[in-house]
Amino acid sequence: MKSETPLRQRPWYKLDNAGKIFPGQNTSTWSNIFRISVTLTEKIDSSLLEKALEMTVPRFPCFNVRMKTGFFWHYLEKNPNGAPPVMPDIANPCHRVRWDENRGYLFRIYYYENRISAEFYHAITDGFGASRFLMTLTAVYLRLTGKEIPNGESVYDINEKPRIEESEDSYLKYAKSDTKAKRLKKFVYHYRGEKLPKHYVNVTTGYIPVEAIKTRAKAHGATVTEYIAAVLLWIMYNIQKEEGKTEKEIGVQIPVNLRNTFASETLRNFSLCYSFNIDPKRGEYTLPEIIRLVSLYLRYINNEKELRAMMKGNIGLEKNPIMRILPLVLKDFGIGMAFKLTGEKGVSAVISNVGIIRMPAEMEQYIEKMMIMMGPGRLNGSRCAALSFKGTLAITVSNIYKDPKIQRELFTALVKEGIPVKVESNRNSIEKEAYANVILR
């Protein structure tokens, strides 16, 4: 049996500042996973997809890694096991990750009929990096089927040497501030219902004409992301009122792509989260009022100085002398307990909008649609992710409850606002597929 290359001869990476918290949050049933999918016009040939993956992985060294455990920190080491397997899709997307599965890779590739899906462990990348990988993989696959697809936009050249900037920790580069943003959050309202079996998630995607929602948001003086965040607050506010509970605040979390503010080519994590709350004890709220408040808040706080202060606060935890000398087992225990006790309790809903996915025009004709989803939270019942492609906004709601109340209320609210929505759901597959559809240990 051929021995592995010695560690000193293998490239390795520190986890980026955001990625360092995720291993400590892992449990036997939950990991912070997200999925991005592309639906083609033709049925997938799994053998060609496998070959395309083998050709694509070397171009992305920051994903061609496995998790290793040091004495003080987890770190990423080049994976010597070849490309990960290409697998038939499953009924329970975004289930937990283990370091010893999937040939050690921290992302998974699935196919079903004419759909390719990539699931990423958030410790290695965010939606930006994931979209570049999937678009490049899809382009390589289409070329193997005989299509002429150029490079450009989200499609990277697999024959190009990876740029050093693509693997940098941009948090360390830009966390320059004399102050640190406050990290304290209030505990807020959470919807609670009968849960699905472990490892299953209720997924609903609404496909919406971009111009329709953009026009409606503009009528309220808001951007599309501000508008969706406000609608989420509005429906959670009304659900709490229906339950006869008005004592808790409602909070929405909005991840921000820092590449829109700071010059960065990194394919690793480079985003931060803003949070905004409304307090029902202060009186009644209307939807237009909430939209206005969200819009005013985000435009006030979304600036370079605030973002640098937030990054400085996050880096400060990593640089803390006590944290640095603690053995990893104690770090993971502390991070895990902190996440269990407070991690999601300051958030009622999440909306992550990765924006427009662009690709060469020659490639668009072979793609029907795209979507992105966040894995279910351990507590949140309304984790939403969105992207835009060819004039269509896909909003996906994932939760762990049998009753699809939150997504139903969200899309109903949009329809009442005059926005057409075409809805797809995995509810039938959840009810029909055997639980043994996924191998779990």
Side-chain angles (χ1 to χ4, degrees):
M1 184 176 179
K2 189 176 179 180
S3 61
E4 290 188 357
T5 306
L7 174 62
R8 65 180 178 275
Q9 296 178 22
R10 279 184 256 143
W12 64 280
Y13 298 91
K14 292 181 179 180
L15 286 162
D16 59 58
N17 179 255
K20 286 183 176 178
I21 67 171
F22 295 119
Q25 296 174 358
N26 255 26
T27 71
S28 61
T29 60
W30 185 87
S31 302
N32 200 319
I33 305 287
F34 66 95
R35 165 181 284 221
I36 183 168
S37 300
V38 57
T39 301
L40 307 184
T41 56
E42 299 175 358
K43 190 172 182 179
I44 303 298
D45 182 326
S46 60
S47 62
L48 289 183
L49 181 59
E50 188 173 55
K51 184 176 180 181
L53 184 59
E54 291 172 355
M55 296 168 64
T56 302
V57 167
R59 174 60 184 79
F60 295 85
C62 53
F63 303 154
N64 187 16
V65 293
R66 59 183 178 179
M67 187 75 73
K68 301 295 287 184
T69 301
F71 185 77
F72 292 107
W73 295 102
H74 295 283
Y75 64 95
L76 301 172
E77 173 188 273
K78 183 177 179 180
N79 196 320
N81 298 322
V86 169
M87 300 174 284
D89 212 345
I90 54 178
N92 51 340
C94 297
H95 64 276
R96 62 96 185 100
V97 66
R98 286 179 57 131
W99 317 143
D100 58 347
E101 295 177 339
N102 193 42
R103 296 177 188 164
Y105 281 91
L106 303 176
F107 69 92
R108 303 185 281 245
I109 302 297
Y110 295 107
Y111 67 93
Y112 173 72
E113 294 186 348
N114 56 339
R115 183 180 69 220
I116 304 171
S117 298
E119 292 185 355
F120 282 84
Y121 184 36
H122 219 326
I124 62 170
T125 192
D126 55 20
F128 178 91
S131 67
R132 270 55 188 173
F133 182 90
L134 179 60
M135 288 299 92
T136 304
L137 171 64
T138 303
V140 174
Y141 170 80
L142 288 171
R143 289 172 193 149
L144 291 176
T145 67
K147 314 293 191 302
E148 293 187 7
I149 309 295
N151 299 308
E153 299 289 357
S154 300
V155 176
Y156 286 21
D157 184 351
I158 62 170
N159 296 314
E160 175 189 44
K161 185 177 180 180
R163 295 182 294 278
I164 294 175
E165 293 80 6
E166 294 171 1
S167 298
E168 75 176 12
D169 186 344
S170 291
Y171 294 103
L172 296 177
K173 182 176 181 180
Y174 290 107
K176 299 173 183 177
S177 174
D178 293 332
T179 62
K180 299 177 183 179
K182 295 181 180 179
R183 301 174 58 88
L184 297 176
K185 292 182 181 178
K186 295 182 179 180
F187 286 2
V188 298
Y189 166 76
H190 291 88
Y191 171 79
R192 297 180 184 275
E194 184 181 357
K195 292 184 178 181
L196 292 165
K198 289 181 180 179
H199 307 292
Y200 272 107
V201 56
N202 197 332
V203 183
T204 306
T205 301
Y207 294 94
I208 300 167
V210 169
E211 283 305 313
I213 193 168
K214 190 175 180 180
T215 298
R216 192 61 189 146
K218 188 176 180 180
H220 286 284
T223 66
V224 169
T225 301
E226 292 164 357
Y227 179 72
I228 298 170
V231 173
L232 277 170
L233 277 175
W234 167 247
I235 65 170
M236 300 301 286
Y237 165 73
N238 284 304
I239 290 173
Q240 182 177 222
K241 283 205 320 185
E242 290 172 8
E243 295 175 351
K245 303 172 183 177
T246 57
E247 73 278 6
K248 290 188 176 181
E249 294 187 15
I250 316 291
V252 64
Q253 187 178 82
I254 305 139
V256 178
N257 181 3
L258 296 174
R259 299 170 187 84
N260 295 331
T261 304
F262 303 99
S264 173
E265 296 182 42
T266 187
L267 296 173
R268 303 171 76 188
N269 287 294
F270 195 42
S271 58
L272 289 172
C273 294
Y274 287 134
S275 296
F276 178 75
N277 292 11
I278 58 172
D279 187 352
K281 288 185 285 189
R282 295 184 178 182
E284 295 288 327
Y285 286 88
T286 64
L287 178 57
E289 181 182 11
I290 295 175
I291 296 172
R292 180 173 176 271
L293 290 172
V294 171
S295 180
L296 287 172
Y297 174 77
L298 288 181
R299 294 182 191 203
Y300 162 73
I301 200 170
N302 189 22
N303 62 78
E304 184 178 322
K305 291 182 177 60
E306 183 67 25
L307 291 168
R308 286 185 186 276
M310 292 173 68
M311 283 190 277
K312 186 67 175 287
N314 290 352
I315 294 292
L317 183 64
E318 175 185 341
K319 299 294 185 181
N320 183 289
I322 297 177
M323 280 292 291
R324 294 184 70 172
I325 64 172
L326 281 179
L328 181 60
V329 63
L330 295 181
K331 284 191 181 82
D332 280 349
F333 176 77
I335 290 171
M337 286 300 297
F339 181 73
K340 183 176 181 180
L341 295 173
T342 65
E344 291 185 86
K345 292 188 178 180
V347 181
S348 306
V350 181
I351 172 61
S352 178
N353 185 359
V354 301
I356 302 172
I357 304 297
R358 294 185 172 90
M359 63 192 67
E362 296 89 338
M363 184 173 170
E364 286 190 356
Q365 62 183 305
Y366 303 112
I367 298 179
E368 289 184 353
K369 58 188 176 183
M370 294 187 64
M371 62 84 77
I372 187 169
M373 66 168 282
M374 300 177 71
R378 296 172 65 182
L379 182 61
N380 289 145
S382 50
R383 290 164 67 95
C384 306
L387 59 74
S388 299
F389 172 67
K390 286 203 302 189
T392 297
L393 176 70
I395 305 176
T396 300
V397 185
S398 52
N399 70 37
I400 52 177
Y401 302 113
K402 290 185 177 180
D403 186 351
K405 183 179 181 66
I406 294 167
Q407 48 266 56
R408 182 173 62 242
E409 293 296 326
L410 170 62
F411 295 126
T412 297
L414 294 177
V415 170
K416 288 180 178 178
E417 281 273 291
I419 301 169
V421 182
K422 179 182 178 182
V423 175
E424 293 181 356
S425 174
N426 73 335
R427 284 186 62 78
N428 287 337
S429 64
I430 288 176
E431 293 164 359
K432 293 178 182 179
E433 293 287 342
Y435 182 59
N437 190 22
V438 63
I439 299 174
L440 296 170
R441 290 186 291 166

